[in-house]
Amino acid sequence: MSTGDKTYLDYAASTPVDPRVVEAMLPYFTKIFGNSSSVHMFGQLSGSAIENARISVAESLNCQPDEIVFTSGGSESDNLAIRGASFAARESRNASHILISPVEHHAVSMTAEQLAHIHSFELEYLPVDEYGLVKPADVASRIRPDTAVVSVIYANNEIGTINPVSEIGAICREHGVSFHTDAVQAAAHLPIDLQELTIDLMAIGAHKFYGPKGVGVLYIRQGTQITPSQTGGSQEMGLRAGTPNVPNIVGLAEALRLTQNEFLSHEDQSRAMRDRVIGQVLEEIPDSKLTGHPDMRLSNLASFIFKGVDGNLLLPLLDVAGFACSSGSACNTANPVPSDVLLALGYPHEWAFGSLRVSVGHDTSPQHIESFLAVLPDAIAHARNGSLAS
Ligand SMILES: *Cc1c(COP(=O)(O)O)cnc(C)c1O
């Protein structure tokens, strides 16, 4: 996607809404606007739009409609999963040990940290290898009778690594412990069949797969105990109070259906562009490393670190040159800290500050990639000098 002379290479941060999805959403702003809890026809029409969306999502994921809870996005789904499963496990079997990977999205890790600090849960981090992979054997050796929930990200948003979540889930199931995975990135690029995958709780968010922002799903396998974290009305089977956002829910269902049907048709070109970026960067730019797994990684995501580069300088330089990328971490210029994920992989600070994430999408062309690769070496050289001067 280009807007004027700007090229968007940050599809892992968000995607434009597919025009077919916008079309599906439109009637629900102005024509079918009733409160889905209302008894009258206006309410019933909204209510049945939501239930049809739930059926469609269940078909896309191969699960039951009553296993689908609509939320305000990936973050809320992660919060509901971790907080809800932890509180339920403590109440039903006095379990208060939480086991998560050190490469989780903050929506998972900050929730677990809060449970530890305010609610006296015991939080333990799993080890990862240099690629950010979690080994199932490490879950097996750390899971305990009093483990409340285990969480391992499906595909990492910063480094693209894809974890063996189903094998990890099978270990959790043997121990009777709920297993959550954050599949917010995975849903756009991998088939998700919940009859095949051993997963109890799974978060997705529509704006990562060409759907609207502000809507997500938490999949909750039948029989998984969960305490609601947003209380009030009885919407969403009592698990998520509040009047549902009907246009967004309709949009999520359509975007997920399209993505799960069509992602394979984008995969070859996406992978070729990703690999062109990776090959060229490693060959042309001194003191550069690929982050994340070389093969088991998202087909659209290339991620690097550069020694002695300040990512906070590199991104604005690229932006001015016309390319929108990300560092893969939330940078705060007043108090720059390298990302938790890169530190968990064992990179020293002088490398971990200089991260770059390039993620391609449906509107990226090989020409965009060539133009980007033409300016990148200079931008990195400037960011290196800049960080030396400061
Ligand atoms: C984007 C993202 C989230 C947060 O989802 P929102 O819908 O933006 O709240 C969570 N996890 C991962 C892996 C993500 O990429």
Side-chain angles (χ1 to χ4, degrees):
M1 147 123 356
S2 293
T3 304
D5 55 354
K6 300 285 183 194
T7 298
Y8 187 77
L9 296 173
D10 202 12
Y11 286 81
S14 199
T15 56
V17 183
D18 187 306
R20 295 169 293 179
V21 171
V22 175
E23 203 58 39
M25 293 170 68
L26 282 177
Y28 298 94
F29 288 102
T30 51
K31 295 198 178 73
I32 304 166
F33 62 86
N35 185 320
S36 55
S37 299
S38 300
V39 178
H40 46 64
M41 182 57 75
F42 293 87
Q44 286 175 32
L45 287 173
S46 290
S48 57
I50 294 171
E51 294 323 308
N52 287 336
R54 205 183 306 280
I55 290 166
S56 167
V57 169
E59 278 168 6
S60 295
L61 301 177
N62 199 12
C63 66
Q64 297 302 315
D66 64 2
E67 295 175 312
I68 296 300
V69 169
F70 292 113
T71 69
S72 70
S75 295
E76 188 191 324
S77 296
D78 282 332
N79 270 259
L80 176 56
I82 300 298
R83 197 171 283 119
S86 296
F87 284 145
R90 173 179 275 174
E91 203 177 340
S92 67
R93 54 190 179 87
N94 205 24
S96 52
H97 173 239
I98 299 172
L99 191 56
I100 69 172
S101 90
V103 293
E104 295 301 297
H105 189 276
H106 278 171
V108 168
S109 59
M110 292 298 166
T111 304
E113 290 282 351
Q114 193 200 51
L115 287 165
H117 293 141
I118 299 183
H119 300 285
S120 322
F121 281 84
E122 177 191 344
L123 174 59
E124 183 177 353
Y125 286 96
L126 290 157
V128 280
D129 71 8
E130 62 191 305
Y131 304 126
L133 264 183
V134 175
K135 286 197 202 67
D138 286 325
V139 177
S141 65
R142 280 166 181 78
I143 199 166
R144 311 192 315 217
D146 68 335
T147 302
V149 65
V150 174
S151 182
V152 174
I153 192 166
Y154 198 155
N156 190 279
N157 51 299
E158 286 185 49
I159 57 173
T161 298
I162 298 169
N163 271 304
V165 288
S166 201
E167 288 170 52
I168 293 167
I171 291 162
C172 297
R173 180 160 301 172
E174 274 170 34
H175 289 80
V177 173
S178 296
F179 174 62
H180 171 63
T181 193
D182 175 336
V184 176
Q185 293 289 332
H189 306 282
L190 298 169
I192 304 222
D193 179 337
L194 289 162
Q195 299 312 306
E196 295 288 316
L197 295 165
T198 311
I199 289 170
D200 302 313
L201 297 156
M202 184 185 78
I204 61 175
H207 76 101
K208 304 296 174 70
F209 49 81
Y210 304 88
K213 291 166 186 61
V215 63
V217 155
L218 181 65
Y219 160 77
I220 307 175
R221 189 178 289 278
Q222 248 154 40
T224 307
Q225 292 191 321
I226 188 145
T227 303
S229 48
Q230 179 156 305
T231 47
S234 60
Q235 294 93 348
E236 298 302 301
M237 296 151 276
L239 285 169
R240 201 277 180 176
T243 304
N245 185 331
V246 183
N248 266 4
I249 288 170
V250 168
L252 176 144
E254 183 62 358
L256 183 63
R257 188 183 72 79
L258 292 168
T259 291
Q260 285 286 312
N261 281 342
E262 297 176 2
F263 75 89
L264 277 177
S265 68
H266 299 282
E267 196 175 63
D268 287 349
Q269 191 184 19
S270 171
R271 196 181 293 274
M273 293 189 289
R274 177 199 73 179
D275 290 343
R276 170 78 179 144
V277 173
I278 292 174
Q280 212 42 25
V281 166
L282 297 182
E283 197 179 305
E284 290 224 319
I285 298 176
D287 285 329
S288 61
K289 284 187 208 285
L290 178 71
T291 55
H293 200 279
D295 311 312
M296 282 181 277
R297 67 183 298 126
L298 287 169
S299 58
N300 75 322
L301 191 150
S303 53
F304 308 94
I305 46 174
F306 304 101
K307 190 181 174 190
V309 166
D310 182 349
N312 288 331
L313 289 175
L314 179 60
L315 296 180
L317 283 170
L318 288 171
D319 191 33
V320 168
F323 298 94
C325 302
S326 161
S327 65
S329 75
C331 285
N332 175 350
T333 34
N335 178 27
V337 283
S339 93
D340 297 336
V341 169
L342 295 175
L343 293 179
L345 305 194
Y347 293 116
H349 279 61
E350 61 170 340
W351 281 88
F353 273 119
S355 58
L356 175 68
R357 179 184 73 186
V358 180
S359 48
V360 302
H362 294 177
D363 299 306
T364 315
S365 71
Q367 290 71 33
H368 291 136
I369 295 301
E370 294 313 313
S371 316
F372 172 70
L373 290 170
V375 308
L376 184 63
D378 262 7
I380 288 178
H382 276 102
R384 271 201 172 115
N385 292 333
S387 67
L388 286 177
S390 66

